[in-house]
Amino acid sequence: MKPVIFIILAALASNPRALAQVVALENVNILPMDRNRILERQTVIIRDGRIAQIGAAARVKAPDGAVRVDASGKFLMPGLAEMHGHLPAPDASRELVEHMLFLYVANGVTTVRGMQGNPSALERRAAVASGNLLGPRLCVAGPPFGGNAKTVDVAEKMVRDQKAAGYDLLKIAEGISPAVYEAIVKTANEVKIDFAGHVPNEVGVRRAIAVRQKSIDHLDNYLEALEADTSPLRGADAQTRARDLPFNVDERKIADLARLTRQAGVWNAPTMALWEVFHNGETGEAIRDSMPEVRYMPRTTVEQWVKSKNALLQPGSNIFMGFGVGSKTGQRVIELRRKILKGLRDAGAGIILGTDSPQTFSVPGFSIHREMQVMASVGFTPFEILQSGTRNVAVYFNSLSETGTVEQGKRADLILLNANPLKDISNVARRAGVVVAGRWIPESEIQQRLEKLAAAAPKM
């Protein structure tokens, strides 16, 4: 990234006046997200990073010296969350960190749950919270629990160490034995830290639901749990199961799994758009050329995405979760995942918006809009989709008094839109500006910065 871009972003992020500015969004239509409704022709006053006042535009006047935004005909909603994201590596340059975090902010993503943490992620969380780094509010998982958690004793120590280090949650990965998983659950409950993420194959989704894993990400292990009682694949080799399991399921089991999920209060971050990229038959080049937002990513990263996707299309290949890609198997997996998500939605189970950015062809911030389109195609209403990235997230974090809705006293993390997203979810991409931690960033400024980031990205 060019040094001048870093200087501009860093100066804006660390400027106390920018963060402490008073903003008046005048004559705006509000989607409070407490329920499906719109408050018309309101004025919202933002001060010290909070929503200080909301009232009828005819009654509420902008304070002297406020940044006044004519929001007539526009729509104000809470900022969105990326509930399965990944932060830059510990050795990433300050420029790259600024770059990636701004991609979230540019798309109105004001909260990110980072699902694979390290000490540098804790430092970045603190820098954002203090106003020294412009970015979404960060919730940081510790280093993942996978093959490194080989014994009960090791797992228990890891849980206690991560709690003491200040991580917000534990990341469950693959390769954990049932005994180790149970030790993680027991110790996490003792020290009061959430655990979330994958469902190890040997554990199974029914056990993860029973112990109330905070969230199950990627719909992990739901498909395996649908295996028909008469399936001929039990005991078959891994490659045969990967190819044939999607055709040996009992879809009637979806309703029971969804009911159990809702009753246990377990959340799901489905990351649908990403997994459809994994499983469809398109080449890496075709996907790259259909996604203009890849121009904001380092060229080496995009080239690796293309190679990774093409490798998955090779005969005999299967992805890390054990299902084949492309052809009939891939299409069947996509079909079943959509049915599982619809079953969860119909049962009233909790859904939180997540995309696994920046995983393969999942560009930070931009991937949220692609995820929303998949949810719409499954049958979610626009309100339900918005709720998954706003109020549901606040309920997940137990922070409803602080975030998730547009109400007086809450954090000023907001998106101003040019059209009503309750009529068409694609209107979420029609921004007029973003408020992050009380700082107003108009869309013109967002686009100027994105252009500079696009110019710098190939050199990163």
Side-chain angles (χ1 to χ4, degrees):
M1 179 179 289
K2 295 178 180 179
V4 67
I5 298 172
F6 164 65
I7 292 169
I8 292 171
L9 290 178
L12 287 168
S14 61
N15 182 351
R17 288 187 179 180
L19 295 174
Q21 66 185 172
V22 177
V23 179
L25 302 172
E26 300 178 301
N27 204 34
V28 69
N29 301 309
I30 299 175
L31 283 66
M33 291 308 298
D34 56 350
R35 58 185 185 274
N36 193 347
R37 61 173 180 150
I38 293 177
L39 304 176
E40 297 182 344
R41 294 182 292 279
Q42 303 287 299
T43 288
V44 178
I45 307 299
I46 297 166
R47 181 183 290 109
D48 297 327
R50 297 271 172 175
I51 299 174
Q53 187 179 6
I54 300 175
R59 179 173 55 83
V60 177
K61 302 303 179 185
D64 291 342
V67 175
R68 297 179 63 178
V69 179
D70 181 2
S72 301
K74 295 178 171 41
F75 296 81
L76 187 70
M77 61 170 284
L80 293 164
E82 162 64 274
M83 290 297 283
H84 192 114
H86 292 277
L87 303 178
D91 60 352
S93 67
R94 171 85 179 199
E95 293 91 337
L96 181 60
V97 173
E98 292 271 7
H99 185 121
M100 293 301 178
L101 293 185
F102 186 73
L103 293 180
Y104 286 120
V105 169
N107 285 275
V109 176
T110 57
T111 297
V112 172
R113 187 178 65 150
M115 289 301 290
Q116 189 163 320
N118 48 63
S120 67
L122 296 177
E123 294 170 4
R124 292 163 189 163
R125 181 186 67 184
V128 170
S130 68
N132 290 320
L133 179 61
L134 178 60
R137 181 171 58 105
L138 301 179
C139 169
V140 178
F145 287 71
N148 54 342
K150 296 183 181 301
T151 69
V152 167
D153 289 344
V154 169
E156 289 177 348
K157 184 177 187 304
M158 288 176 63
V159 172
R160 296 184 189 282
D161 287 349
Q162 290 194 19
K163 172 68 175 182
Y167 291 104
D168 297 299
L169 73 155
L170 311 176
K171 164 69 179 289
I172 303 297
E174 301 296 331
I176 298 175
S177 71
V180 167
Y181 182 81
E182 297 297 331
I184 293 169
V185 172
K186 179 177 180 293
T187 311
N189 287 334
E190 287 176 1
V191 302
K192 296 184 174 15
I193 187 170
D194 292 333
F195 54 98
H198 290 265
V199 175
N201 288 335
E202 291 186 37
V203 172
V205 74
R206 287 182 179 271
R207 184 57 185 163
I209 293 169
V211 300
R212 291 179 166 81
Q213 181 167 308
K214 184 74 171 184
S215 75
I216 295 172
D217 296 22
H218 322 299
L219 300 182
D220 205 10
N221 228 267
Y222 276 89
L223 199 156
E224 289 91 334
L226 300 181
E227 185 169 3
D229 297 338
T230 57
S231 169
L233 299 176
R234 300 184 191 282
D237 64 89
Q239 188 153 342
T240 299
R241 287 184 62 80
R243 184 189 66 233
D244 295 343
L245 180 58
F247 304 102
N248 289 276
V249 300
D250 182 351
E251 294 183 20
R252 293 172 299 180
K253 294 184 178 183
I254 292 175
D256 184 54
L257 287 169
R259 177 184 59 80
L260 292 173
T261 302
R262 175 185 57 79
Q263 289 177 345
V266 172
W267 296 89
N268 267 270
T271 66
M272 297 294 287
L274 171 70
W275 284 75
E276 297 197 3
V277 166
F278 280 151
H279 287 294
N280 68 32
E282 294 183 86
T283 66
E285 289 84 0
I287 296 171
R288 176 198 63 201
D289 294 345
S290 71
M291 291 186 168
E293 65 264 32
V294 300
R295 69 194 186 109
Y296 301 115
M297 296 298 294
R299 181 175 296 165
T300 54
T301 299
V302 178
E303 289 173 352
Q304 184 55 51
W305 288 349
V306 170
K307 291 178 182 177
S308 296
K309 180 59 203 288
N310 288 342
L312 293 175
L313 296 173
Q314 298 304 309
S317 173
N318 54 75
I319 67 172
F320 58 87
M321 293 306 292
F323 292 109
V325 175
S327 69
K328 293 181 179 179
T329 298
Q331 290 305 311
R332 177 60 172 159
V333 171
I334 291 173
E335 177 189 1
L336 285 172
R337 284 179 55 84
R338 288 185 171 222
K339 288 182 176 181
I340 292 166
L341 179 58
K342 185 177 187 304
L344 291 167
R345 178 257 183 189
D346 291 348
I351 305 297
I352 46 178
L353 190 63
T355 73
D356 209 355
S357 59
Q359 178 59 272
T360 307
F361 293 111
S362 186
V363 178
F366 293 87
S367 56
I368 288 290
H369 304 291
R370 296 189 179 276
E371 187 74 13
M372 288 179 166
Q373 291 300 323
V374 178
M375 293 176 72
S377 71
V378 168
F380 285 75
T381 68
F383 179 75
E384 290 170 335
I385 296 170
L386 295 178
Q387 195 173 44
S388 75
T390 57
R391 193 181 189 281
N392 284 7
V393 173
V395 175
Y396 169 94
F397 283 124
N398 195 29
S399 65
L400 197 53
S401 63
E402 288 278 305
T403 61
T405 59
V406 182
E407 296 180 75
Q408 184 173 321
K410 293 203 171 182
R411 286 173 54 95
D413 289 333
L414 306 162
I415 314 172
L416 185 64
L417 303 174
N418 287 312
N420 185 356
L422 294 176
K423 290 186 176 180
D424 185 340
I425 197 63
S426 66
N427 287 336
V428 176
R430 297 180 60 188
R431 294 177 307 275
V434 173
V435 179
V436 58
R439 181 171 178 267
W440 165 245
I441 309 177
E443 185 64 16
S444 59
E445 184 179 332
I446 289 172
Q447 291 302 320
Q448 289 172 3
R449 294 196 207 178
L450 287 176
E451 287 304 313
K452 291 177 181 178
L453 295 182
K459 306 178 183 65
M460 296 178 68

